[in-house]
């Protein structure tokens, strides 16, 4: 390989690492997220609740990722509640839901 090929390969790998970095970011605390989900979200997101019944296995991991994007949750009925929650709590809830999503290695139901 010549120098240009090696440089291009290394540059490509570095760029790939930078683009993938958000997926390597520190996760929230799933155990705390379970507690927060049960206490903050479950009261409305259950059968006969004010909102659509939800549990971790209600969505796939990709669907949970989309649901937690700020531009998407601004449309939800509970957007004001989300706005009041600390970012750390939202990350914890997301981690719990994502780790136990329908298509995760360990799907779970929140009862």
């Amino acid at each position: 390989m010549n120098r240009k090929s090696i440089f291009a390969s290394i540059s490509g790998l570095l760029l790939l690492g930078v683009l993938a970095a958000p997926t390597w970011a520190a996760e929230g605390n799933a155990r705390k997220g379970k507690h927060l989900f049960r206490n903050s979200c479950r009261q409305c997101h259950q059968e006969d609740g004010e909102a659509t019944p939800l549990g971790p296995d209600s969505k796939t991991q990709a669907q949970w990722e989309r649901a937690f994007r700020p531009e998407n949750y601004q449309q939800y009925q509970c957007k004001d509640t989300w706005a009041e929650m600390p970012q750390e709590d939202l990350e914890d809830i997301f981690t719990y839901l994502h780790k136990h999503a329908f298509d995760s290695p360990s799907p779970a139901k929140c009862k």
Side-chain angles (χ1 to χ4, degrees):
M1 290 182 106
N2 63 28
R3 284 185 168 183
K4 286 184 179 182
S5 298
I6 293 172
F7 180 75
S9 297
I10 291 172
S11 296
L13 289 172
L14 288 173
L15 180 61
L16 182 62
V18 168
L19 294 174
T23 62
W24 301 337
E27 293 182 345
N29 181 326
R31 185 174 179 172
K32 183 179 173 195
K34 182 178 183 177
H35 174 77
L36 289 166
F37 179 79
R38 286 183 172 179
N39 291 328
S40 301
C41 308
R42 197 66 179 158
Q43 59 192 350
C44 295
H45 290 286
Q46 62 182 337
E47 293 296 327
D48 300 323
E50 295 176 24
T52 305
L54 287 176
D57 66 342
S58 300
K59 298 183 182 292
T60 64
Q61 289 179 321
Q63 289 171 322
W64 281 122
E65 289 168 13
R66 283 191 299 274
F68 273 76
R69 288 185 190 146
E71 66 271 14
N72 291 337
Y73 70 72
Q74 292 299 323
Q75 303 168 25
Y76 302 153
Q77 183 179 356
C78 54
K79 67 182 176 207
D80 295 334
T81 303
W82 280 44
E84 294 172 4
M85 293 183 84
Q87 185 63 34
E88 182 181 328
D89 289 355
L90 290 172
E91 289 171 10
D92 293 339
I93 293 170
F94 168 76
T95 299
Y96 165 64
L97 296 172
H98 190 264
K99 281 190 168 199
H100 299 289
F102 178 75
D103 63 343
S104 73
S106 57
K109 296 182 181 184
C110 183
K111 300 222 183 219

